[in-house]
């Protein structure tokens, strides 16, 4: 059997889906999640890179990109 630990684990929810569940946090990740919930075009099935692309297209502030970095770390360790 081959172990694919380097691949995105299949049991994890998509990054975008996980992110919207973080809306009650009091940090930048929470602010990002609140925006994601309100954004009908937010890539809920997307990975962190898809979220970064979406934020770039929306001309988001730099703080939101830092929030994606923090959220990605939390998501990977969850």
């Amino acid at each position: 059997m081959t172990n694919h630990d380097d691949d995105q684990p299949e049991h994890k929810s998509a990054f975008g889906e996980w992110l919207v569940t973080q809306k009650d946090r009091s940090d930048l990740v929470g602010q990002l999640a609140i925006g994601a919930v309100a954004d009908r075009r937010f890539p809920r099935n997307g990975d962190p890179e898809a979220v970064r692309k979406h934020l770039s297209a929306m001309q988001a502030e730099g703080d939101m990109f830092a929030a994606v970095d923090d959220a990605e770390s939390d998501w990977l360790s969850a």
Side-chain angles (χ1 to χ4, degrees), residues 42-76:
F42 184 79
R44 290 180 185 241
N45 293 323
D47 62 4
E49 197 53 41
V51 172
R52 288 183 187 97
K53 282 184 177 181
H54 179 73
L55 291 175
S56 183
M58 301 295 292
Q59 299 180 341
E61 294 180 16
D63 286 355
M64 291 299 103
F65 293 94
V68 173
D69 294 343
D70 292 346
E72 182 177 12
S73 294
D74 291 351
W75 175 69
L76 289 171

Side-chain angles (χ1 to χ4, degrees), residues 13-22 42-46 51 75:
S13 61
F15 177 71
E17 276 297 327
W18 175 87
L19 184 60
V20 298
T21 68
Q22 305 301 303
F42 184 79
R44 290 180 185 241
N45 293 323
V51 172
W75 175 69

